[in-house]
Each structure stands twice: as structure tokens, then as C-alpha cells.
């Protein structure tokens, strides 16, 4: 008769652990499988990280190259074409059957930009629209049209030609009565009347006010005409052609050493320098 307890005892070591021979290779195979899985995952993780790093480096390099090219080797771009909002109205009005008897009075156009430049400080950039108004919504800039002209300082103003068929323009300046305004006018021998020179500047769109100085102002210009300034009166230049939706940019300067004008217009009031447009169709 075989002792069953002896049979079970033979399966154990002296310390009570199962002998490896009963389940050959099982613990070793498990450890080897876990190690293989760990190395496999690690290897693929390293490869993915390396690929992502290379991709990021290439992307950053491309962005850096584009930035350097656009900053240091950029070529001047031609201004974009200004599309008309009044497409084919010229064709319509050229039709002889269209009624052209309706008449419209002149419209007022205010400057989109007002800035000063100084020959005494050719590199100085004057701040524009420095006035501020505090409201419950916050601090709002005031739409000021500050016409300041001296023998050293000129004012540059840019107007957008509005509407269709109102393409005859005239610059105007209005000043209140002397005892009703803080505007200042001083001509030769202290006169209350001054004649200013108006120059038309060749520039596309509105001048860059953040970089506008005596040195950087448009140099190509043509004489548009004189403009008288006096208290309690509105004076205008002769009418000149102006294309719809184009820009009229002018420089206002003093023709004589004895000349000083400091006139301020606010909002949409017809004060300071503005422009009239007259019907042409």
C-alpha cells in the first residue's frame, strides 16, 4: 500500500515550495513574456516621441523661415483693388432713356485721418485723436479734426469720396465767430484772415498715421489751390474731379512765414476742414 502523504510530500522542497519540475518553465516563461511586452511598448513609445519631436522641429523651422522672409526679405505688395459698391450704375446712367432730371444738394464728407508733420522735427510722429471721453461704457476716443498749420507744421488729411454720381469735390473750412470759439487765426501783421496752400498728395488709401512724419509723408504732390481762413465764415476751394470711393489726401501748409491756424472740429459738425461733394450725373 502506497502512503499518499509521502506522494504529496515529494512534490515539495524542504522549504515547502513546489518543485519546478512539476510545472516545467511556467514561471520563467511568464517573466520572459512580461519583459518582452515592456520592451516592445517602450520601443514604440520612444519611436512615436522621436517622430513627434522631428515633426515639431520641422514645423517650427518652417514657421521661423516664413517669419524671417516676411520680416527681412519681404517684397512690397501692390495695394488691393478697391471694388466698387455701385457696380454698373455708370452703365445705367449712360442709357439715354434713364430719367436724369432729379437733383441733389451737396453732401458733406469728413476726413478719415488727420495728422500733423513738422519740418523742424522731421522724424516726429504726432499722435492722432488724442482726445478721450469717459462714459459708463468706458473711455472713448473723440473724433477730433485738428487743423494746425504754422510755418513749420503742416496738416495732412485724407477723405473718402462717398456715393455715386457725386464726383465733383471742394475742400471747405468753417470757423465760428471770434468771440464764440477758442480757434485761433493769425496772418500777416496779426490779421484775422489767412490764406493756406492745399496740396494734393498721391497716396493709395489712408496714410499710415503710426509712421507718418515729415520724412515719411508722400513726396509726390500737386498744387490744388489756395484756401482762405477767417472767423465767422466758410471758405471753399474750386471744385475738382474726384472718383467715387477713392481717397482724396491733401497737405495743408502755410505759404508765408507769418501764418498760424489752430482750428478744431468735433464729431460730424461742419467745422474745421471738411469736403463737399457735388452731383455729376
Amino acid at each position: 500500500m502506497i502512503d499518499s502523504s509521502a506522494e504529496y510530500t515529494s512534490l515539495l522542497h524542504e522549504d515547502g515550495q513546489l518543485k519546478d519540475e512539476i510545472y516545467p518553465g511556467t514561471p520563467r516563461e511568464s517573466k520572459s513574456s512580461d519583459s518582452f511586452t515592456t520592451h516592445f511598448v517602450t520601443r514604440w513609445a520612444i519611436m512615436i516621441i522621436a517622430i513627434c519631436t522631428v515633426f515639431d522641429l520641422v514645423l517650427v523651422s518652417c514657421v521661423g523661415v516664413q517669419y524671417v522672409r516676411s520680416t527681412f526679405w519681404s517684397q512690397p505688395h501692390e495695394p488691393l483693388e478697391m471694388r466698387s459698391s455701385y457696380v454698373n450704375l455708370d452703365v445705367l446712367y449712360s442709357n439715354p432713356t434713364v430719367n436724369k432730371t432729379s437733383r441733389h444738394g451737396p453732401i458733406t464728407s469728413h476726413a478719415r485721418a488727420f495728422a500733423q508733420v513738422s519740418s523742424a522735427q522731421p522724424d516726429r510722429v504726432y499722435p492722432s485723436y488724442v482726445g478721450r471721453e469717459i462714459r459708463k461704457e468706458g473711455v472713448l476716443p473723440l473724433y477730433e479734426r485738428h487743423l494746425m498749420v504754422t510755418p513749420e507744421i503742416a496738416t495732412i488729411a485724407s477723405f473718402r469720396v462717398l456715393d455715386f454720381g457725386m464726383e465733383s469735390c471742394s475742400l471747405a473750412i468753417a470757423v465760428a465767430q471770434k468771440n464764440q470759439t477758442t480757434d485761433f487765426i493769425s496772418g500777416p501783421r496779426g490779421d484775422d484772415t489767412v490764406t493756406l496752400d492745399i496740396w494734393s498728395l498721391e497716396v493709395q488709401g489712408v496714410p499710415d498715421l503710426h509712421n507718418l512724419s515729415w520724412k515719411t509723408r508722400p513726396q509726390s504732390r500737386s498744387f490744388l489751390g489756395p484756401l482762405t481762413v477767417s472767423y465767422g465764415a466758410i471758405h471753399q476751394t474750386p471744385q475738382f474731379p474726384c472718383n467715387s470711393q477713392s481717397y482724396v489726401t491733401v497737405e495743408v501748409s502755410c505759404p508765408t512765414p507769418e501764418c498760424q491756424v489752430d482750428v478744431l472740429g468735433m464729431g460730424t459738425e461742419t467745422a474745421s476742414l471738411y469736403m463737399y461733394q457735388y452731383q455729376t450725373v
Side-chain angles (χ1 to χ4, degrees):
M1 184 175 179
I2 301 174
D3 188 357
S4 60
S5 63
E7 180 182 352
Y8 287 110
T9 303
S10 65
L11 299 177
L12 301 174
H13 289 290
E14 292 181 356
D15 58 358
Q17 299 295 326
L18 287 172
K19 293 183 178 180
D20 293 344
E21 287 78 3
I22 302 304
Y23 303 100
T26 301
R28 296 175 181 174
E29 287 180 0
S30 177
K31 292 179 180 179
S32 176
S33 176
D34 292 343
S35 177
F36 174 79
T37 303
T38 302
H39 287 305
F40 179 80
V41 173
T42 303
R43 184 164 54 249
W44 275 102
I46 293 174
M47 291 179 62
I48 293 174
I49 293 174
I51 293 173
C52 292
T53 302
V54 172
F55 178 78
D56 289 343
L57 289 175
V58 172
L59 184 61
V60 171
S61 299
C62 292
V63 173
V65 170
Q66 292 296 330
Y67 173 78
V68 171
R69 290 179 60 185
S70 62
T71 304
F72 299 101
W73 291 288
S74 61
Q75 298 295 327
H77 298 284
E78 295 183 359
L80 297 176
E81 179 184 356
M82 184 180 296
R83 294 290 184 176
S84 174
S85 302
Y86 310 105
V87 179
N88 289 333
L89 279 183
D90 55 341
V91 178
L92 176 65
Y93 275 90
S94 64
N95 190 332
T97 62
V98 174
N99 182 10
K100 304 176 184 177
T101 59
S102 60
R103 304 305 302 171
H104 301 278
I107 60 176
T108 303
S109 176
H110 291 290
R112 300 294 181 92
F114 246 86
Q116 281 73 45
V117 293
S118 173
S119 60
Q121 298 173 296
D123 294 317
R124 179 180 178 183
V125 177
Y126 282 78
S128 58
Y129 304 124
V130 295
R132 298 291 186 269
E133 181 178 357
I134 299 178
R135 296 186 178 181
K136 63 179 181 180
E137 296 86 357
V139 180
L140 302 177
L142 296 177
Y143 184 46
E144 298 179 346
R145 302 183 303 279
H146 193 184
L147 179 65
M148 179 186 296
V149 186
T150 68
E152 294 82 22
I153 297 176
T155 291
I156 293 178
S158 185
F159 301 84
R160 177 80 182 273
V161 182
L162 308 174
D163 216 336
F164 173 83
M166 308 292 290
E167 299 172 272
S168 180
C169 295
S170 172
L171 292 178
I173 187 167
V175 184
Q177 296 288 343
K178 188 174 184 179
N179 58 354
Q180 299 176 358
T181 181
T182 58
D183 295 338
F184 180 76
I185 302 171
S186 178
R189 299 174 300 277
D191 296 342
D192 291 342
T193 300
V194 174
T195 299
L196 303 174
D197 283 345
I198 309 296
W199 299 86
S200 176
L201 303 180
E202 295 184 12
V203 58
Q204 295 288 340
V206 178
D208 183 6
L209 300 183
H210 298 290
N211 298 294
L212 185 62
S213 65
W214 183 268
K215 280 187 177 180
T216 62
R217 80 192 198 284
Q219 299 299 317
S220 181
R221 64 180 190 172
S222 57
F223 186 63
L224 192 61
L227 179 61
T228 302
V229 186
S230 62
Y231 290 106
I234 299 176
H235 298 278
Q236 295 181 236
T237 65
Q239 296 183 28
F240 56 89
C242 51
N243 296 326
S244 176
Q245 297 197 21
S246 66
Y247 284 90
V248 174
T249 302
V250 297
E251 178 181 321
V252 186
S253 60
C254 280
T256 61
E258 298 177 341
C259 165
Q260 188 171 354
V261 174
D262 193 343
V263 180
L264 185 65
M266 300 285 293
T268 58
E269 63 180 351
T270 52
S272 185
L273 186 69
Y274 56 97
M275 187 171 71
Y276 284 125
Q277 292 180 228
Y278 296 89
Q279 185 177 358
T280 55
V281 294

